[in-house]
């Protein structure tokens, strides 16, 4: 047991290899009254959530008395210190992170270097997520799988932070687009990812809660193309890529959403000015 804590548990990642977000370790403790850490700096991110009791957190940009439900984040390179309350010392859980994507993920949930603090009323859910992170490191025969599991739980923890933190903040105009703009974004994403399927523009419109005519008009204003034209463009662009591969014309047609290879060839010729076989010959130096 850690001599400065009544209770102390820790899980350590043996293979912290992911570049965007990697969990280094996670723990939970009940320090003694007045227990102090710092002033010091870390070269990793360290998130603490107070489960019970309280204490004081200070950084070079922020200071706060913390109570149950409060979370404070230590940013790499920031000078910090924290101290358990003398009467009711905190019981907290923590997780240490590293990676090039961590700061952007924290910003996405409303945590910044200037405001490394948030509050949640859902302490039980946060506590459960910390436990799952820590228990992922059960030192099995598959440490890389443990690392993947822990990273997944951390993303859910950050999601929980975002739900609580962002709802308490005034929305930024750039993050609150008009509903039709969001639906157009979804339609674009839908077509871009599902071009190989038998996509119905009517189905997309109804799924997004819009009449086809209304959606098509807004879609064309955004992209310069109707949804049908945009779908054809995506398919033809992908077909040109695939024609450089060993796939047959029939296989290329099927891969970009055409069940009929002859109809695909007709559409490709109309869109590209030549049949797919001639386009392929050009790629192979046939001109």
């Amino acid at each position: 047991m850690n001599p400065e804590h009544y209770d102390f548990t820790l899980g350590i990642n043996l293979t912290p290899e992911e570049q965007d977000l990697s969990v280094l370790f996670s723990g939970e403790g009940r320090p003694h009254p007045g227990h102090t850490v710092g002033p010091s700096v870390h070269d990793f991110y360290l998130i603490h959530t107070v489960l019970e009791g309280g204490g004081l957190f200070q950084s070079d940009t922020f200071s706060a008395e913390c109570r149950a439900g409060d979370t404070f984040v230590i940013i790499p390179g920031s000078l910090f210190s924290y101290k358990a309350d003398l009467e009711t010392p905190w019981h907290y859980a923590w997780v240490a992170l590293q990676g090039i994507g961590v700061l952007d993920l924290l910003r996405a949930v409303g945590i910044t270097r200037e405001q490394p603090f948030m509050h949640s009323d859902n302490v039980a859910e946060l506590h459960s997520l910390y436990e799952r992170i820590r228990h992922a490191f059960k030192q099995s025969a598959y440490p890389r799988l443990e690392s993947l599991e822990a990273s997944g739980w951390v993303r859910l923890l950050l999601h929980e932070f975002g739900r609580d933190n962002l709802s308490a903040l005034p929305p930024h105009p750039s993050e609150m687009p008009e509903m039709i703009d969001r639906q157009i974004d979804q339609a674009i994403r839908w077509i871009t990812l599902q071009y190989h399927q038998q996509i119905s523009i009517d189905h997309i419109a109804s799924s997004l809660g819009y009449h086809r005519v209304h959606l098509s008009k807004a879609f064309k204003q955004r992209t310069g193309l109707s949804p049908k034209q945009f779908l054809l463009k995506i398919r033809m662009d992908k077909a040109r890529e695939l024609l450089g591969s060993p796939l047959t014309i029939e296989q290329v047609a099927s891969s970009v959403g055409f069940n009929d290879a002859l109809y695909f060839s007709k559409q490709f010729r109309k869109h590209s000015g030549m049949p797919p076989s001639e386009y392929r010959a050009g790629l192979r130096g046939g001109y």
Side-chain angles (χ1 to χ4, degrees):
M1 179 182 294
N2 187 308
E4 297 177 326
H5 292 71
Y6 295 112
D7 295 302
F8 186 92
T9 57
L10 187 67
I12 298 176
N13 189 354
L14 300 179
T15 57
E17 298 176 351
E18 296 171 74
Q19 291 187 352
D20 62 333
L21 180 152
S22 185
V23 184
L24 298 178
F25 55 86
S26 183
E28 184 175 330
R30 299 174 184 266
H32 294 161
H35 169 247
T36 302
V37 176
S40 57
V41 297
H42 283 332
D43 58 1
F44 51 84
Y45 297 86
L46 187 59
I47 303 172
H48 283 77
T49 296
V50 182
L51 306 174
E52 297 175 314
L56 174 66
F57 167 69
Q58 293 179 303
S59 74
D60 47 19
T61 62
F62 189 85
S63 177
E65 293 279 354
C66 303
R67 291 291 179 261
D70 290 339
T71 292
F72 60 90
V73 181
I74 295 166
I75 307 293
S78 291
L79 185 67
F80 72 89
S81 65
Y82 52 94
K83 178 179 180 180
D85 190 84
L86 293 173
E87 300 296 329
T88 55
W90 45 25
H91 166 203
Y92 49 32
W94 64 86
V95 61
L97 309 174
Q98 69 177 12
I100 59 176
V102 177
L103 187 57
D104 284 341
L105 289 171
L106 291 173
R107 287 172 178 159
V109 302
I111 295 173
T112 64
R113 182 180 296 272
E114 295 72 30
Q115 184 72 20
F117 180 86
M118 61 152 288
H119 177 79
S120 171
D121 291 325
N122 199 0
V123 179
E125 177 63 21
L126 296 180
H127 190 190
S128 175
L129 289 168
Y130 277 106
E131 287 183 327
R132 289 177 181 273
I133 295 167
R134 190 171 69 253
H135 292 162
F137 303 125
K138 46 188 174 291
Q139 298 191 14
S140 69
Y142 307 100
R144 290 187 176 178
L145 294 183
E146 295 175 6
S147 182
L148 286 173
E149 180 184 349
S151 296
W153 290 120
V154 164
R155 291 179 184 274
L156 289 175
L157 178 69
L158 294 174
H159 171 264
E160 200 65 31
F161 287 159
R163 287 205 311 174
D164 293 325
N165 198 25
L166 297 181
S167 63
L169 297 174
H172 191 282
S174 65
E175 296 180 353
M176 293 296 291
E178 294 291 335
M179 183 56 71
I180 185 62
D181 289 337
R182 294 190 62 179
Q183 304 298 49
I184 296 303
D185 288 339
Q186 285 187 289
I188 291 172
R189 187 73 172 159
W190 191 329
I191 292 171
T192 302
L193 293 175
Q194 299 295 315
Y195 64 87
H196 57 284
Q197 301 287 350
Q198 298 306 303
I199 293 178
S200 162
I201 305 304
D202 284 328
H203 178 62
I204 293 177
S206 62
S207 296
L208 296 176
Y210 285 89
H211 189 278
R212 176 184 176 135
V213 174
H214 186 196
L215 181 69
S216 295
K217 181 179 179 180
F219 194 100
K220 190 166 186 176
Q221 287 176 341
R222 168 77 76 82
T223 66
L225 300 171
S226 71
K228 186 175 181 179
Q229 291 170 331
F230 185 81
L231 172 60
L232 182 61
K233 179 182 183 303
I234 293 294
R235 285 174 166 172
M236 293 299 104
D237 288 347
K238 188 62 179 179
R240 281 193 287 270
E241 290 181 30
L242 293 177
L243 286 169
S245 74
L247 294 177
T248 66
I249 301 297
E250 290 77 12
Q251 290 168 337
V252 170
S254 177
S255 297
V256 298
F258 288 88
N259 294 328
D260 185 335
L262 290 178
Y263 181 67
F264 161 71
S265 295
K266 180 180 178 180
Q267 292 298 314
F268 188 90
R269 182 169 189 164
K270 183 186 298 185
H271 195 268
S272 302
M274 65 183 74
S277 56
E278 186 177 337
Y279 181 85
R280 167 170 278 174
L283 292 176
R284 294 175 177 173
Y287 293 139

